[in-house]
Amino acid sequence: MLDFSFLKKPSILVPFLFLALYVLTSPHTVQYGDTGELVTNSFFLRVSHPPGYPLWTVLYHLPVRYFNLGNPFRVASILTALISFVSILILTLRYNKTIDLLVIGVFASSVVFWKYSVLPDVFALHVLILVITLIVFDSPALLDKLWMIFFISLGIAHHHTFLFVIPLFIFSLNENPKKLNLLASVVFGGLSLCFYFLLFWFHPHDYGSWGIVDSFEQLVSHFLRKDYGTFTLQNNKTLQQSSWIEFFLKHFFSEAWSIVVLISYLAIKNYKNVLKNKKKVFVFIFSLVSYFVFFIIFGKINLKGDGEVVFEKFLIQPFLVLIFGVLIFLKRSSPVLPKWMMIIILINGGVNLYKNFNPNNYSVNTSIEDYLVEILEKLPKDSVYFTYGDTIGFGTYYLKDVKEVRTDVIQIHNTWGTAWGPKKFRKKFPGLISKEDHVFFDNFNFNSFRFFTNYNPLIVDDGYAIRFFGQVFEISKFNSFDDYQRFDCHIIQNSKTMGNMMDYSYFEYGRLFLLRYGDCFHVKAKELIYNKDFELAKSNIKFALDNSPHNPIIRRDLCKLYKILNDPELEQCTAHYVEILRTMNYKYYEFLE
């Protein structure tokens, strides 16, 4: 008979309160980064970017495809919230003293864990597997439950950073060295690796599937992330390494400052208890330090701009491991903590809830869908749209394939730069390009199709005509735009503001979506402001805003211009700007900074 007595414990309120919070702030439509691709590929059972995440794809497929809540992305978001709820529930059932619940609350309310508890990415499931692994490390006797071994082994079929907690699992096996446990570990580990063979079944020839997974060799290449560069976050050897340790510490001190105080206090007052379990402490520290060393050596990515958003996902694992280390120590030593310690941890959790609510309240964030639908609806028939960037590319992919918005528009994914991209594209859309290589513009059939892109048009040779088309650029051969207004973006190449162009056309993926290079008139207006031609600047920036109504940076700069001109429209402009920030989870740009 099932035992539900745990539901009577007051501590059970903690995970349910966070479940309510996550569901309340979960998005109703497509968001940034990889989420559009992952949800779409789970919907259709396609191959996602390396390593493929077969476990995630299978787990999400049925609810995303067949649960009708109006939007498959919404279903995926709620499922993600439920997975994080299970992680917190397991922790609170295991560690349920008041101090334990406060520590868990700090983690559950942290900005990055909260974010990936509402956005349908792979990290909520990764955390759940990590939690089970860490609990077994704390109590190796749990390995007698073979389903625990099976669940832990699923980490092999999910996220590569599971590798760094394998030493903890090996230690647990050593502490509970039954032959059945060792055999089950080998068998279940092998079965979990077999999940990757599902990629052969995930319609690998579909245009939306990543790569061409036809052979065992290609499967291994996908598993090893060779498109990106094995054991690295980005296939770019010229990047300068940013300080991973500095980035982590900045985040940890910001989100868990009370835990830093608690660790310091415990280290001073109870260091003897640490020395009693030297072997366990060594394995724990080895797992944590090896994670940091790996990212210092191989995690080469520029933290500026969207690089920080790529890296922040990888903060969750060491954050969880540190929090878990504190929980284990509290359980083993049962220290008597002063009241002020409890109070500051409570305050830390409260501050997290307050400051992280707006940045993680994706329930009101429809900006990405609004922006992408605007672009798609304005494109004419026989259009080809080259989407650059994960948010633009995967968001458009989701809207076209799942929501069936402008299915007549041909989308070129940002996978064009891969070795297999042109081949797959030509097979899917014969007649659009003449050769399977990456010199795209020279091979494109401009006679039969119109070509649009959000990519930087300054890379296009002088033999092509470029005009600003709504929120994107249209590119054509020769001077085919003579019959209507043309704005040639090459004129901004020598602009004084060109060097800082990304500063005011940049978007922070997690909280806001706006153009990268799509608004030439905004750039032109900035140049005119620099030259103090304010009236002409105003006409250009208003034109840019008419075509990019969801871009708060343009609205902000218009308000700045109104302030310079003492224009009475400043008050209304400010009100519009504040409303945009409220609905777009925006944090970086302060008004009239």
Side-chain angles (χ1 to χ4, degrees):
M1 189 172 181
L2 295 175
D3 182 12
F4 292 100
S5 60
F6 69 90
L7 292 173
K8 298 178 182 179
K9 297 179 180 179
S11 60
I12 199 67
L13 290 175
V14 172
F16 279 98
L17 286 173
F18 278 105
L19 174 62
L21 180 66
Y22 296 155
V23 172
L24 174 68
T25 55
S26 61
H28 292 254
T29 186
V30 67
Q31 298 297 321
Y32 78 100
D34 299 330
T35 58
E37 181 211 21
L38 289 167
V39 174
T40 304
N41 287 352
S42 67
F43 187 91
F44 291 106
L45 281 181
R46 292 174 180 164
V47 180
S48 290
H49 66 277
Y53 306 108
L55 177 64
W56 195 97
T57 304
V58 170
L59 178 64
Y60 276 67
H61 173 64
L62 289 178
V64 166
R65 185 72 187 252
Y66 300 107
F67 286 9
N68 185 11
L69 291 180
N71 192 320
F73 200 94
R74 174 67 169 163
V75 175
S77 301
I78 292 176
L79 179 55
T80 303
L82 286 169
I83 290 172
S84 285
F85 159 74
V86 174
S87 296
I88 300 170
L89 177 64
I90 292 171
L91 286 174
T92 54
L93 291 177
R94 185 76 183 174
Y95 309 98
N96 49 36
K97 293 184 296 185
T98 301
I99 182 63
D100 299 333
L101 299 178
L102 293 176
V103 170
I104 293 169
V106 169
F107 174 72
S109 61
S110 64
V111 66
V112 179
F113 179 71
W114 185 344
K115 178 188 291 188
Y116 290 98
S117 295
V118 299
L119 295 181
D121 208 316
V122 299
F123 291 91
L125 182 57
H126 180 54
V127 166
L128 179 56
I129 296 171
L130 291 177
V131 166
I132 298 294
T133 307
L134 289 164
I135 284 178
V136 167
F137 173 71
D138 184 24
S139 301
L142 291 172
L143 287 175
D144 292 340
K145 302 178 185 295
L146 294 185
W147 66 266
M148 296 284 280
I149 299 177
F150 174 72
F151 197 92
I152 292 171
S153 74
L154 292 177
I156 299 173
H158 188 52
H159 202 277
H160 283 1
T161 54
F162 176 76
L163 172 71
F164 297 101
V165 296
I166 287 180
L168 305 182
F169 180 64
I170 293 173
F171 174 85
S172 304
L173 286 172
N174 187 61
E175 293 293 295
N176 189 0
K178 295 181 180 178
K179 290 183 178 179
L180 183 60
N181 293 344
L182 293 172
L183 178 63
S185 301
V186 173
V187 172
F188 291 150
L191 289 173
S192 295
L193 277 175
C194 289
F195 268 81
Y196 285 96
F197 286 104
L198 291 174
L199 299 186
F200 290 131
W201 180 54
F202 285 175
H203 308 96
H205 291 282
D206 283 7
Y207 182 58
S209 287
W210 187 290
I212 303 176
V213 185
D214 273 339
S215 65
F216 181 74
E217 181 182 359
Q218 290 167 343
L219 181 65
V220 172
S221 295
H222 199 81
F223 174 76
L224 294 177
R225 295 169 45 95
K226 286 190 175 180
D227 281 342
Y228 297 136
T230 303
F231 301 124
T232 185
L233 289 180
Q234 199 171 73
N235 195 8
N236 187 339
K237 302 184 184 303
T238 64
L239 284 175
Q240 295 297 316
Q241 174 61 48
S242 299
S243 175
W244 163 253
I245 296 293
E246 180 183 350
F247 183 52
F248 173 77
L249 291 177
K250 177 182 176 182
H251 171 81
F252 193 74
F253 275 88
S254 172
E255 298 293 318
W257 46 271
S258 65
I259 306 302
V260 176
V261 176
L262 176 59
I263 291 173
S264 302
Y265 180 87
L266 293 174
I268 295 171
K269 296 289 186 177
N270 296 271
Y271 69 93
K272 291 183 179 179
N273 288 317
V274 176
L275 299 177
K276 291 179 182 179
N277 300 280
K278 292 180 182 179
K279 188 176 179 181
K280 196 165 193 171
V281 171
F282 173 80
V283 174
F284 184 84
I285 293 176
F286 174 79
S287 172
L288 187 62
V289 170
S290 62
Y291 189 94
F292 287 125
V293 170
F294 174 85
F295 276 91
I296 290 171
I297 296 174
F298 298 107
K300 294 185 180 298
I301 192 168
N302 194 335
L303 288 181
K304 292 182 179 179
D306 55 303
E308 182 171 322
V309 182
V310 173
F311 246 138
E312 71 176 2
K313 305 171 185 179
F314 299 97
L315 298 174
I316 300 176
Q317 180 165 331
F319 193 174
L320 172 64
V321 171
L322 276 172
I323 290 291
F324 207 91
V326 172
L327 292 173
I328 292 176
F329 191 86
L330 290 171
K331 182 182 178 182
R332 290 282 186 270
S333 60
S334 299
V336 178
L337 297 174
K339 289 185 178 180
W340 62 264
M341 181 68 71
M342 311 278 277
I343 291 172
I344 67 167
I345 299 175
L346 178 63
I347 291 173
N348 190 169
V351 169
N352 281 356
L353 289 172
Y354 175 77
K355 73 182 179 70
N356 294 335
F357 182 84
N358 284 334
N360 283 328
N361 184 15
Y362 290 91
S363 65
V364 296
N365 192 337
T366 63
S367 57
I368 292 175
E369 179 173 314
D370 293 341
Y371 168 68
L372 295 178
V373 168
E374 277 186 281
I375 292 175
L376 289 171
E377 289 182 343
K378 289 178 181 178
L379 294 178
K381 288 188 65 177
D382 295 324
S383 293
V384 175
Y385 180 32
F386 176 65
T387 52
Y388 177 75
D390 290 346
T391 300
I392 298 173
F394 294 144
T396 303
Y397 173 49
Y398 170 81
L399 291 172
K400 279 178 47 59
D401 282 34
V402 177
K403 300 288 286 182
E404 298 184 345
V405 178
R406 287 302 303 271
T407 55
D408 59 303
V409 173
I410 296 173
Q411 180 191 7
I412 305 175
H413 293 178
N414 44 327
T415 55
W416 180 264
T418 61
W420 49 266
K423 180 183 294 187
K424 204 166 193 178
F425 178 76
R426 193 182 185 199
K427 183 178 180 180
K428 173 69 175 177
F429 307 109
L432 287 182
I433 56 173
S434 57
K435 296 179 182 178
E436 294 176 358
D437 62 34
H438 300 95
V439 187
F440 183 84
F441 297 111
D442 290 344
N443 300 322
F444 184 75
N445 184 0
F446 285 103
N447 294 325
S448 302
F449 299 93
R450 294 174 67 178
F451 182 84
F452 301 87
T453 182
N454 68 300
Y455 194 55
N456 181 4
L458 300 178
I459 66 166
V460 181
D461 294 335
D462 291 335
Y464 296 89
I466 302 171
R467 74 156 180 156
F468 180 54
F469 187 93
Q471 293 158 313
V472 291
F473 292 103
E474 181 173 6
I475 299 176
S476 182
K477 260 193 172 180
F478 309 114
N479 293 320
S480 57
F481 297 145
D482 290 341
D483 57 335
Y484 47 78
Q485 183 182 13
R486 175 185 169 203
F487 187 83
D488 187 350
C489 296
H490 284 300
I491 68 169
I492 67 171
Q493 280 182 308
N494 297 320
S495 165
K496 295 181 180 64
T497 58
M498 186 59 195
N500 294 321
M501 186 176 177
M502 286 301 292
D503 289 344
Y504 41 77
S505 60
Y506 161 74
F507 66 87
E508 199 278 323
Y509 289 91
R511 299 162 182 86
L512 173 71
F513 182 85
L514 47 95
L515 317 182
R516 276 181 179 261
Y517 298 95
D519 196 345
C520 285
F521 291 95
H522 182 208
V523 178
K524 186 179 180 182
K526 296 283 284 191
E527 178 71 6
L528 290 167
I529 292 172
Y530 180 85
N531 293 323
K532 302 190 184 304
D533 192 345
F534 299 125
E535 290 300 328
L536 186 56
K538 184 166 72 171
S539 65
N540 275 273
I541 204 167
K542 290 182 75 173
F543 181 85
L545 192 59
D546 288 341
N547 286 278
S548 306
H550 297 288
N551 187 330
I553 303 305
I554 301 176
R555 175 71 65 180
R556 181 202 67 181
D557 289 344
L558 178 61
C559 294
K560 286 184 176 182
L561 189 55
Y562 282 155
K563 185 175 183 181
I564 293 171
L565 297 172
N566 292 317
D567 195 303
E569 293 188 41
L570 174 61
E571 184 176 351
Q572 185 179 9
C573 182
T574 304
H576 286 164
Y577 176 73
V578 171
E579 178 62 18
I580 289 174
L581 299 192
R582 186 189 71 80
T583 60
M584 289 191 176
N585 309 76
Y586 199 61
K587 77 169 188 177
Y588 280 125
Y589 293 96
E590 297 296 332
F591 177 61
L592 300 182
E593 59 188 357

